[in-house]
Amino acid sequence: MHPREAMQSAAPSFAGGAPHLNAAGLRRDSLLERLALASLSAPALLLVLVTMIAPVAWLFWLSLLGDDGALSLEHYRRMLEQPSYGRTFVTTFKVSLLTTGLCILAGYPLAYVLSQLPRRAANLCLIAVLLPFWTSLLVRTYAWLVLLQRKGLLNQWGLQLGWWDEPLALVHNLTGTLIGMVHIMLPFLVLPLLGAMRAIDKDYLLAASSLGASPARAFWSVFFPLSVPGLLAGTLIVFILCLGFYVTPAVLGGGKVVMVSNHIANDIELFFNWGAASALGVVLLALTLAILWAATKLLRLEQVLGAGHAP
């Protein structure tokens, strides 16, 4: 066979094999690229493993150790048998729900007013909302203790102005705890809600008004539904953070408002029972994850996490 004819007959086989070789090379390059990216993220993954996953695993392991050091579920059984544990969880969820509700009642009107102000004025007013972030949590809590105690400023002013005849019990109870927690948690609701409100196009409200809707009807039919993603995001953040509160219930509750975190501290400080404290922490973590999972199932994920984006 002539050499030119041999080359022409072999050309189709090379042409047919080229796509296969190219695909294999592309897969190899893609794998190498993923490995390179994984190596870049390895330090961050190691940090997450050391600071988050390992402590949780150690906590879970301690919860399975009985008082004699053997593997046991006695700490979990004790939670089911002793009513005090049930009351602690009820108090925790009750305080968290009340704090979240009060934050919604106070935070939604505040965020709405800020969203309607000019940007410069809104930013100045927002500083007042962000002030709690610039002060230590312990300092804020003791400041409320000074204001709300029986001989505090609020009771003294009320007595001098004749608003009440005897000092009100505003601290060392549920009332004081809620006041302190709402003050601390309010920015966590206002910030995502304000971002969602600022993303709403004002032309929607103008269009509703041009179609004959009153200001109230335009608000409830147009503005409020569009602000729901920010409201849901802030509500979830506030509720989850409230589940783990310790300082405010301990100081302003005066030992009468015992949440899970306070019960954990008592198990460690008074009884030095790391197993019981770890079991409480594991159960609280499981309940928190269950709430997050339920929120993503009952609500669309973009509604919870997509606050601040226009529809």
Side-chain angles (χ1 to χ4, degrees):
M1 180 181 296
H2 194 273
R4 179 177 297 177
E5 296 177 353
M7 291 178 64
Q8 291 177 351
S9 62
S13 62
F14 282 109
H20 176 72
L21 294 175
N22 289 338
L26 289 174
R27 287 195 297 269
R28 183 175 63 255
D29 293 342
S30 177
L31 178 62
L32 292 176
E33 184 178 0
R34 287 197 295 268
L35 290 176
L37 293 176
S39 63
L40 291 175
S41 61
L45 294 176
L46 181 61
L47 180 63
V48 171
L49 178 64
V50 172
T51 60
M52 295 182 63
I53 299 179
V56 171
W58 178 70
L59 193 72
F60 182 74
W61 170 254
L62 287 179
S63 70
L64 297 177
L65 296 179
D67 295 334
D68 57 354
L71 289 176
S72 172
L73 296 175
E74 64 178 271
H75 302 302
Y76 295 98
R77 286 197 300 267
R78 190 181 297 123
M79 287 187 203
L80 298 175
E81 296 171 355
Q82 295 186 3
S84 61
Y85 286 93
R87 289 193 298 268
T88 299
F89 280 101
V90 170
T91 301
T92 300
F93 280 90
K94 176 183 176 181
V95 172
S96 300
L97 287 172
L98 289 174
T99 302
T100 305
L102 292 174
C103 284
I104 293 173
L105 293 177
Y108 194 95
L110 176 59
Y112 178 75
V113 171
L114 293 177
S115 68
Q116 302 304 308
L117 290 176
R119 184 58 65 98
R120 183 182 296 273
N123 290 337
L124 291 176
C125 295
L126 191 60
I127 294 176
V129 179
L130 297 177
L131 278 177
F133 284 132
W134 304 339
T135 310
S136 169
L137 175 64
L138 190 61
V139 172
R140 282 177 279 167
T141 303
Y142 275 101
W144 277 114
L145 183 62
V146 172
L147 290 173
L148 299 177
Q149 61 186 343
R150 294 183 63 85
K151 294 185 179 181
L153 294 177
L154 187 59
N155 268 318
Q156 292 298 321
W157 289 344
L159 292 174
Q160 292 174 3
L161 296 174
W163 290 348
W164 48 76
D165 297 329
E166 58 182 14
L168 300 178
L170 299 176
V171 76
H172 295 162
N173 51 27
L174 181 61
T175 302
T177 303
L178 291 177
I179 292 174
M181 290 181 66
V182 169
H183 173 246
I184 293 169
M185 299 309 302
L186 190 60
F188 292 98
L189 180 81
V190 171
L191 291 178
L193 187 54
L194 180 60
M197 288 180 174
R198 282 182 172 176
I200 298 174
D201 194 342
K202 288 182 170 52
D203 290 340
Y204 294 153
L205 298 176
L206 294 177
S209 299
S210 66
L211 293 175
S214 62
R217 178 73 180 274
F219 173 83
W220 289 110
S221 300
V222 178
F223 190 89
F224 180 76
L226 294 177
S227 66
V228 166
L231 181 61
L232 292 176
T235 299
L236 189 62
I237 292 171
V238 170
F239 183 76
I240 294 299
L241 291 178
C242 286
L243 292 176
F245 254 69
Y246 169 71
V247 173
T248 306
V251 175
L252 297 179
K256 298 178 182 178
V257 181
V258 181
M259 299 179 67
V260 172
S261 55
N262 305 111
H263 203 144
I264 291 174
N266 291 337
D267 284 338
I268 295 175
E269 296 173 357
L270 300 180
F271 307 106
F272 205 71
N273 193 335
W274 284 88
S278 300
L280 274 171
V282 169
V283 173
L284 182 61
L285 176 62
L287 290 175
T288 303
L289 294 177
I291 292 171
L292 290 173
W293 177 83
T296 58
K297 292 298 181 181
L298 296 176
L299 306 169
R300 291 182 306 183
L301 187 61
E302 60 269 20
Q303 278 189 306
V304 178
L305 302 179
H309 297 280

